[in-house]
Amino acid sequence: MANPAAKLDPLAARIAGLSTPDGAGWANEVRGDALSRLSAMGLPRKRDEYWKYSDPTTLNQPEAPRAGLFVTDEAMPFSDVDRLKIVFVDGVFDADASDDLSLEGVEVERLSDALARDIHWARDLFGVLETRGQTPVERPLAALNTAFATDGVVIRATGKAAKPISLIYLHKSETSDAILHHLVKVEEGASVTVLENGPAAARFSKCMEVEVADGGQFHHVRAQGRDHERRASTHMFARLGAGSVYKSFTLTVNGVLTRNEQVVEITGDNAVAHIAGAALGDAASGAFHHDDTVFVTHDAVDCESRQVFKKVLRNGAEGVFQGKIIVKPHAQKTDGYQLSQALLLDEDSSFQAKPELEIYADDVQCSHGSTTGAIDEEALFYLRSRGVSHGEATDLLVLAFLAEAIDEIEDETLREDILTRLQGWLDRHRG
Amino acid sequence: MLEIKNLHVSLEEEDKQILKGVDLTVEAGKVHAIMGPNGSGKSTLSYVLSGRDGYVVTEGEATLNGEDLLEMEPEERAAAGVFLAFQYPVEIPGVGNMTFLRTAVNAQRKARGEEEMSAAEFLKVIREKAKDLKIDADMLKRPVNVGFSGGEKKRNEILQMAMLEPKMCILDETDSGLDVDAMKLVAEGVNALRDEGRGFLVITHYQRLLDHIKPDVVHIMANGRIVKTGGPELALEVEQNGYADILAEVA
Ligand SMILES: Nc1ncnc2c1ncn2[C@@H]1O[C@H](COP(=O)(O)OP(=O)(O)O)[C@@H](O)[C@H]1O
Ligand SMILES: [Mg+2]
């Protein structure tokens, strides 16, 4: 590694104000190891291969840049969904605002409670998948999260979770700097849906490690928005057993800087991983930069992975997609698919994509495609010639563009909820 | 109803004049046909009337019932009653045919200050009209024109026209690429809409369509102008002798 000493100073400054929470011996060890990893790597730099298109400066600086509070009377996402609510305010668990944590088919605890116990299943997961996810590409912000996360939840699905677990992140302080770490373990044949929404903090670091055992199912739907000035760096690390299913969808609207990383490792045969996202940014109402960085590794036979990422960008909004499918030598019969597309609603907006395939097996089917395009003027005129207004016609074309990503949400209620958010954003951001 | 006076149109991108002084009046209740060689400006005229980008009107005017069409956005023209059945209907992946049509019907009603059509009423009406045009439920559900055959696209245009009930219907080579049966369906669709208050401008190459949709007036367009106007017999003359004689005669 090139001269890590040169990078130490900013790192020391970055972590000076953070304190390592105290836990059981093993948990302290995990945090110590994470800090060592972080020290060895240093903070991300613009010249790092996977930070070329996104500037990590404001994620690295010691204090969170101020982010104005965003007030809306719009109902929060998932309001109509029957769910178990777990609320964090500026990164701190709010017991009063949260539901009772007991739920059929699943055990839910606060991270600090789990990490204080000498014996806990979390020991096999906390920092484990994050560590694995550091190769082949370093993710220092994830190590920082493991070392310093003060709060979060641990979820263990032992059967079919009776309802979705909904993590709600409220933002009430203009300078909050939140670090949350969640662990999800889906036991054999069990299933759980995890929802996330809310701006969380002025600056938000979130890491979720998800282990899905054989035949287990993990569903994840996330709505990031609508605050304009927030910054976030999130990581999802997943490991999938045989015949398991992992499906994650993220809707992002607004946000000065969002970096969403997903690192999925398929270790059991016949597993399925679908990772999708729709991001909408209008820089006329505040700078917008959104970065999806996704790595899927196939390390088993007969597995399927799909990455479907769409971005709608307007008035100078910036989108980034970095996606890689890695197929290990014995991972035969892999079916891998990756699609990243941007719809630029004007010439000021931009999209950067780095689609990659790294295939070492010979009997595989992998495809990837990336496109950047504008609204189809012929289609727009056709719609308008039938009386549909310019705005409404544009919306129809935008929704058509996003459809393949939205369709990845299996649950109809959740899909409708996300569509409502989308329509709301479109109504507020007419060209 | 539709009044076009001395219309001159050039391309926006290049300095090329396409329409060189078109004069044409279509009265309510009448069917006018325009025939003419390829490249004479027939499609350009239909696009300029419906408001497509890329053209500049350098001289002349076009009004619908006294309203200046050229000042309006395409959707305003549609609400005012202009409908163009495209020579090449556009495929729109991801937008369902039904969703599109219902949005269009209600957008026009809203623009005219009328009440929107309920989902149930819409469904009832569209099923009926689709049946007449032999458009099945599957075609209604598919994305707009995607995977439609040439004939299906043209029938879909007529379905849209039937749903939108425009005042001024412009059909641009709706007959091209249709077999005899499909042409009959299309012609029946058009004839069903013939009405005192509605005008038609039918652009075609062939007499065939005009056997089914009887025109009141036939115009010959060449090199950006209407060069000859006559009755239905003019179409027969073109059918028998081509354009050469007529063009020579007016040259
Ligand atoms: N957008 C355009 N770009 C370039 N040339 C055009 C365009 N639109 C029309 N033209 C030209 O204008 C002339 C008339 O075309 P068009 O209106 O399609 O004729 P018609 O429908 O009678 O066959 C042709 O020479 C055609 O090439
Ligand atoms: Mg033409």
Side-chain angles (χ1 to χ4, degrees):
Chain A
M1 199 179 302
N3 188 15
K7 297 200 285 178
L8 267 182
D9 275 344
L11 175 58
R14 171 70 175 91
I15 63 180
L18 301 173
S19 54
T20 316
D22 204 29
W26 66 269
N28 290 341
E29 242 172 72
V30 170
R31 284 167 167 149
D33 289 349
L35 186 56
S36 308
R37 272 198 300 286
L38 174 61
S39 304
M41 294 184 272
L43 291 167
R45 295 161 304 174
K46 193 87 174 67
R47 66 170 184 270
D48 292 345
E49 191 186 350
Y50 287 93
W51 283 95
K52 215 165 105 187
Y53 303 126
S54 296
D55 185 351
T57 306
T58 53
L59 300 172
N60 289 341
Q61 73 188 51
E63 292 189 343
R66 177 178 295 271
L69 302 180
F70 180 81
V71 184
T72 169
D73 50 15
E74 185 191 53
M76 287 233 268
F78 314 128
S79 296
D80 298 333
V81 178
D82 184 22
R83 60 201 168 134
L84 179 88
K85 295 198 290 285
I86 303 179
V87 179
F88 296 89
V89 179
D90 291 307
V92 180
F93 175 66
D94 183 339
D96 293 339
S98 302
D99 291 334
D100 182 78
L101 297 186
S102 56
L103 181 67
E104 200 188 314
V106 56
E107 298 163 6
V108 185
E109 278 173 276
R110 212 173 154 179
L111 179 79
S112 49
D113 293 338
L115 299 192
R117 297 234 231 111
D118 287 329
I119 299 176
H120 197 283
W121 60 263
R123 192 172 179 170
D124 295 330
L125 197 50
F126 183 48
V128 172
L129 299 188
E130 177 258 296
T131 305
R132 292 182 69 87
Q134 297 292 350
T135 31
V137 175
E138 292 178 345
R139 304 167 198 280
L141 296 176
L144 187 147
N145 181 296
T146 304
F148 296 104
T150 47
D151 222 328
V153 285
V154 302
I155 297 168
R156 178 167 165 255
T158 52
K160 192 177 180 321
K163 42 182 152 168
I165 295 172
S166 178
L167 309 178
I168 299 163
Y169 307 130
L170 304 181
H171 174 204
K172 293 190 175 169
S173 149
E174 289 192 348
T175 55
S176 54
D177 194 16
I179 308 181
L180 291 179
H181 197 111
H182 309 304
L183 305 173
V184 180
K185 187 169 188 194
V186 183
E187 299 286 6
E188 262 184 48
S191 66
V192 66
T193 296
V194 174
L195 310 176
E196 295 183 276
N197 76 276
R203 182 169 67 183
F204 184 39
S205 162
K206 191 218 71 183
C207 186
M208 188 184 291
E209 296 177 275
V210 183
E211 172 102 60
V212 190
D214 295 355
Q217 294 217 6
F218 174 78
H219 293 269
H220 175 232
V221 179
R222 163 165 68 168
Q224 294 176 312
R226 284 171 45 197
D227 290 36
H228 294 277
E229 295 174 11
R230 70 178 200 279
R231 290 175 164 77
S233 151
T234 77
H235 289 86
M236 303 279 298
F237 293 100
R239 183 161 59 183
L240 310 187
S244 68
V245 172
Y246 173 95
K247 289 195 177 176
S248 169
F249 174 88
T250 302
L251 171 74
T252 308
V253 302
N254 312 340
V256 60
L257 174 62
T258 307
R259 163 90 161 200
N260 290 333
E261 296 194 23
Q262 296 226 22
V263 184
V264 176
E265 193 186 0
I266 307 179
T267 58
D269 298 346
N270 294 301
V272 172
H274 289 197
I275 309 155
L280 297 97
D282 179 355
S285 50
F288 178 87
H289 182 98
H290 182 91
D291 176 335
D292 285 299
T293 295
V294 180
F295 278 62
V296 176
T297 302
H298 284 263
D299 199 6
V301 177
D302 237 333
C303 296
E304 175 195 310
S305 74
R306 279 173 69 85
Q307 302 172 31
V308 183
F309 286 87
K310 306 258 187 169
K311 294 179 171 62
V312 177
L313 306 167
R314 147 168 281 163
N315 292 318
E318 298 165 359
V320 176
F321 174 81
Q322 308 184 104
K324 191 164 190 167
I325 306 174
I326 301 166
V327 182
K328 295 278 185 75
H330 63 275
Q332 302 295 2
K333 307 250 186 282
T334 288
D335 180 359
Y337 177 79
Q338 182 197 88
L339 180 71
S340 64
Q341 293 183 310
L343 181 61
L344 306 183
L345 295 179
D346 49 65
E347 284 172 4
D348 299 328
S349 302
S350 65
F351 178 58
Q352 310 284 345
K354 183 179 165 75
E356 296 176 289
L357 295 177
E358 200 176 302
I359 301 174
Y360 299 104
D362 47 29
D363 184 15
V364 302
Q365 205 184 340
C366 279
S367 68
H368 66 167
S370 181
T371 64
T372 305
I375 284 280
D376 179 348
E377 290 296 332
E378 289 291 321
L380 189 65
F381 173 63
Y382 189 71
L383 294 170
R384 294 178 72 193
S385 78
R386 296 323 185 219
V388 183
S389 71
H390 187 280
E392 212 173 343
T394 306
D395 286 1
L396 281 174
L397 296 174
V398 168
L399 289 170
F401 167 77
L402 292 173
E404 189 178 347
I406 307 295
D407 286 347
E408 286 292 332
I409 307 170
E410 263 184 34
D411 183 274
E412 199 182 328
T413 313
L414 295 176
R415 194 169 57 240
E416 287 300 320
D417 195 302
I418 291 295
L419 278 170
T420 306
R421 310 287 137 199
L422 252 172
Q423 191 59 57
W425 191 90
L426 292 172
D427 290 344
R428 292 186 299 272
H429 297 267
R430 282 278 160 82
Chain B
M1 161 144 300
L2 177 67
E3 255 188 283
I4 303 169
K5 282 189 198 149
N6 194 29
L7 190 65
H8 287 69
V9 171
S10 300
L11 292 178
E12 199 172 65
E13 298 275 303
E14 52 186 295
D15 190 21
K16 185 178 170 190
Q17 204 178 32
I18 312 283
L19 299 185
K20 302 167 182 171
V22 173
D23 288 285
L24 181 67
T25 302
V26 180
E27 309 80 6
K30 300 285 187 217
V31 175
H32 285 231
I34 298 187
M35 305 182 81
N38 274 329
S40 55
K42 304 182 298 295
S43 291
T44 301
L45 177 64
S46 72
Y47 284 142
V48 170
L49 292 175
S50 49
R52 191 181 195 228
D53 279 344
Y55 304 100
V56 189
V57 176
T58 53
E59 227 185 303
E61 59 182 64
T63 56
L64 184 70
N65 295 329
E67 280 187 278
D68 183 0
L69 282 180
L70 304 177
E71 279 297 304
M72 298 184 205
E73 296 294 333
E75 56 268 36
E76 293 168 336
R77 301 182 196 203
V82 174
F83 180 93
L84 168 63
F86 283 55
Q87 181 172 2
Y88 305 106
V90 182
E91 298 187 8
I92 313 182
V95 176
N97 214 9
M98 285 276 241
T99 311
F100 158 55
L101 255 174
R102 194 147 74 87
T103 309
V105 167
N106 283 333
Q108 290 203 15
R109 290 187 163 217
K110 224 164 85 185
R112 291 195 291 256
E114 298 165 12
E115 208 175 309
E116 292 191 14
M117 218 188 224
S118 74
E121 191 189 350
F122 175 82
L123 211 65
K124 188 171 153 262
V125 177
I126 196 167
R127 281 204 182 123
E128 221 166 84
K129 306 207 171 191
K131 201 170 145 218
D132 292 342
L133 286 158
K134 296 210 162 65
I135 290 175
D136 59 27
D138 182 52
M139 254 175 81
L140 290 177
K141 273 190 228 138
R142 291 210 309 251
V144 179
N145 293 325
V146 176
F148 286 26
S149 70
E152 285 173 337
K153 283 181 183 166
K154 296 299 175 79
R155 277 185 278 147
N156 199 31
E157 295 290 288
I158 302 303
L159 174 66
Q160 293 172 34
M161 191 166 87
M163 290 301 296
L164 294 168
E165 301 182 327
K167 289 187 194 137
M168 184 63 224
C169 306
I170 305 166
L171 286 79
D172 191 0
E173 293 200 28
T174 302
D175 52 338
S176 62
L178 294 187
D179 58 33
V180 180
D181 291 337
M183 169 132 49
K184 270 195 190 142
L185 279 178
V186 163
E188 278 166 21
V190 172
N191 288 331
L193 280 168
R194 288 186 75 158
D195 181 272
E196 295 274 285
R198 188 170 284 137
F200 287 86
L201 191 57
V202 179
I203 298 169
T204 180
H205 272 302
Y206 307 104
Q207 162 63 26
R208 241 177 17 156
L209 181 68
L210 303 180
D211 283 341
H212 300 287
I213 306 171
K214 297 261 180 320
D216 299 293
V217 184
V218 175
H219 308 273
I220 306 297
M221 188 165 196
N223 194 19
R225 270 191 209 97
I226 304 288
V227 294
K228 190 165 183 184
T229 296
E233 73 286 350
L234 194 51
L236 288 169
E237 191 185 328
V238 168
E239 181 81 356
Q240 274 154 22
N241 308 327
Y243 296 109
D245 292 355
I246 297 170
L247 296 189
E249 167 195 329
V250 299

